Amino acid sequence: MTITGNVTCEQAWERLSENPRAVLVDCRTQAEWNFVGVPDISSIGKRTVFVEWLGYPDGALNPAFVDQLRAAGVTETDEVLFLCRSGHRSLGAAEAALAAGYEQAYNILDGFEGPIDADGHRGGAGWRAASLPWQQS
């Protein structure tokens, strides 16, 4: 199953701002939310939905992922934008959502922190690097 599409962080922000049915799902781990920070979309009257795609520390797939999306109020007709650390886990999450009947599931390229750079660091790309709103837990 392929995803509906890839969007940049800036495009995700535009969609969230303009489409009342657009939902941001952060599918990183609880540890990442607590120690790295989270997107803050409250300025546009929305809340980020937090559902782990893979567990920490074992990295096991969350078998209740789709059930937890639904329990969080994300419906199959929403435009769902998935965010992880670098855009890899969110791809799998978007594919799973489509397979479960969601109509629109997008992967946010570069995620929250972006890929590892030549020096072995993250942060040169992604949600934070794009200066989009975020907060430390």
Side-chain angles (χ1 to χ4, degrees):
M1 171 93 25
T2 60
I3 60 170
T4 306
N6 291 299
V7 294
T8 65
C9 295
E10 295 86 354
Q11 289 168 329
W13 178 258
E14 287 174 25
R15 289 168 183 256
L16 289 162
S17 298
E18 296 170 3
N19 181 357
R21 303 285 312 175
V23 178
L24 178 63
V25 176
D26 188 331
C27 62
R28 295 176 298 151
T29 64
Q30 177 88 38
E32 289 169 297
W33 304 327
N34 291 339
F35 298 110
V36 179
V38 296
D40 179 4
I41 58 175
S42 62
S43 66
I44 55 173
K46 294 190 174 184
R47 65 175 179 84
T48 303
V49 174
F50 298 98
V51 181
E52 289 183 331
W53 172 241
L54 301 176
Y56 176 83
D58 60 3
L61 184 63
N62 175 2
F65 180 75
V66 172
D67 292 335
Q68 291 172 357
L69 275 181
R70 290 186 177 119
V74 182
T75 70
E76 285 82 357
T77 57
D78 288 331
E79 178 181 19
V80 190
L81 302 148
F82 290 95
L83 177 81
C84 68
R85 179 179 59 195
S86 61
H88 293 285
R89 284 175 286 173
S90 51
L91 179 59
E95 289 172 343
L98 279 177
Y102 282 80
E103 296 172 9
Q104 297 181 76
Y106 292 87
N107 175 47
I108 301 176
L109 297 169
D110 293 327
F112 192 70
E113 297 180 87
I116 295 173
D117 65 18
D119 295 321
H121 302 128
R122 292 188 191 276
W127 189 274
R128 289 193 317 184
S131 297
L132 293 170
W134 68 283
Q135 64 183 10
Q136 197 75 44
S137 295

